[in-house]
Amino acid sequence: MRNKLVAGNWKMHGNLKENAALLEALISNMPKPGNNADYAVCAPFPYLASVQVALQGTCINWGAQNISQYEKGAYTGEVSADMLNDFGCRYVIVGHSERRMLFGETSQIVAEKYAAAQRAGLIPILCVGETLEQRDSDITEQVIDEQLKAVIALTGIESLAKAVIAYEPVWAIGTGKTATPQQAQDIHQFIRKGIASQDKGIAERISILYGGSVKANNAMELFVMPDIDGGLIGGASLVAEDFVAICSAIKS
Ligand code: PEP
């Protein structure tokens, strides 16, 4: 059975007080993992230390939302993989569409960040997805293919054995518009088939998450699709009750 994961992406939200309350509610109410399910929250850098203290020894993992492609040196404002390891991160999101679009991260840079994460033993959650314009132009598969190929060209197909992919249609992120379960399934299947053409075993084992306005009331219909192995959750991960409900949907 494939591993399942629900990961919250807090983005640039929260503060010490709000985070403490959110984590306390998650710790008290999260369903026990099992059924190959894992849960995580990806917090802003300054809060990783307090998240680590709060979550150590619980069933919830944690990670970061970005990483430098460089190991160390004169890179003002950057955060390295080793630094994330110092704070016990298990996961790091790479290639989120907000990083690609607002901060100019190309597929090559994303691939380098993915490689940096893996060199340090972190699990990259590699985001791929198309804009509305690209979907309307019928080039969704081409876009995703290019995003994946950049990573595979740099790190090899075998690197996907230690990674998670998140399909996040840009038009569904933070918009309240969710891909239909069938739309999401079609792209997840496309991704899995593409990987299978190079390595069947890795394709069968890799977790592919869906992200884009997943809420408590639509999580289940997405998670029952055969190639959807969980979710990357933005807005709803900031509300304990909603995030717990989404995590419960992956477990059942
Ligand atoms: C995200 O930021 O990765 C995301 C999926 O956001 P939301 O759930 O708010 O659409």
Side-chain angles (χ1 to χ4, degrees):
M1 189 196 259
R2 269 198 296 274
N3 290 330
K4 296 173 179 179
L5 172 65
V6 177
N9 174 11
W10 289 359
K11 310 196 188 192
M12 200 171 72
H13 292 293
N15 56 43
L16 279 176
K17 199 171 157 204
E18 286 172 6
N19 299 349
L22 174 58
L23 292 174
E24 199 185 309
L26 293 183
I27 293 164
S28 310
N29 297 300
M30 205 59 124
K32 292 262 165 301
N35 202 7
N36 285 15
D38 191 16
Y39 320 123
V41 295
C42 295
F45 293 138
Y47 300 124
L48 288 174
S50 54
V51 168
Q52 178 182 30
V53 169
L55 294 182
Q56 200 118 55
T58 73
C59 66
I60 308 167
N61 280 294
W62 60 97
Q65 301 167 17
N66 189 19
I67 186 173
S68 173
Q69 63 271 49
Y70 305 113
E71 265 172 44
K72 61 159 78 173
Y75 300 106
T76 302
E78 292 292 286
V79 173
S80 73
D82 285 348
M83 293 172 187
L84 298 184
N85 265 330
D86 269 349
F87 294 96
C89 289
R90 177 171 169 81
Y91 298 102
V92 60
I93 298 171
V94 296
H96 191 281
S97 60
E98 287 153 15
R99 301 290 326 164
R100 291 181 191 262
M101 294 171 75
L102 303 175
F103 299 96
E105 289 187 12
T106 61
S107 292
Q108 178 61 28
I109 292 172
V110 172
E112 289 168 15
K113 290 182 173 218
Y114 171 104
Q118 285 197 328
R119 273 197 305 274
L122 295 158
I123 301 174
I125 301 176
L126 170 66
C127 300
V128 297
E130 81 289 2
T131 62
L132 187 57
E133 202 184 353
Q134 290 164 335
R135 175 162 280 261
D136 288 345
S137 310
D138 234 356
I139 56 169
T140 298
E141 294 185 354
Q142 247 170 278
V143 169
I144 289 169
D145 207 36
E146 182 273 330
Q147 291 170 337
L148 285 173
K149 271 192 179 141
V151 168
I152 294 168
L154 185 70
T155 59
I157 190 75
E158 60 286 354
S159 77
L160 291 175
K162 290 186 180 148
V164 170
I165 293 174
Y167 167 55
E168 297 211 308
V170 179
W171 47 272
I173 296 178
T175 58
K177 279 187 210 158
T178 317
T180 65
Q182 194 55 54
Q183 278 174 323
Q185 165 60 24
D186 288 347
I187 301 301
H188 282 233
Q189 189 180 47
F190 165 76
I191 293 170
R192 204 178 299 284
K193 274 194 179 156
I195 298 169
S197 68
Q198 296 184 60
D199 190 311
K200 282 203 175 65
I202 289 177
E204 194 39 54
R205 284 190 302 276
I206 191 165
S207 303
I208 308 178
L209 315 184
Y210 169 77
S213 298
V214 177
K215 306 287 176 206
N217 63 5
N218 61 19
M220 187 70 95
E221 64 190 34
L222 289 156
F223 294 168
V224 294
M225 300 310 279
D227 287 295
I228 300 182
D229 308 309
L232 183 55
I233 318 298
S237 71
L238 300 170
V239 180
E241 202 184 340
D242 293 352
F243 194 60
V244 167
I246 295 168
C247 289
S248 305
I250 197 66
K251 223 201 132 184
S252 46

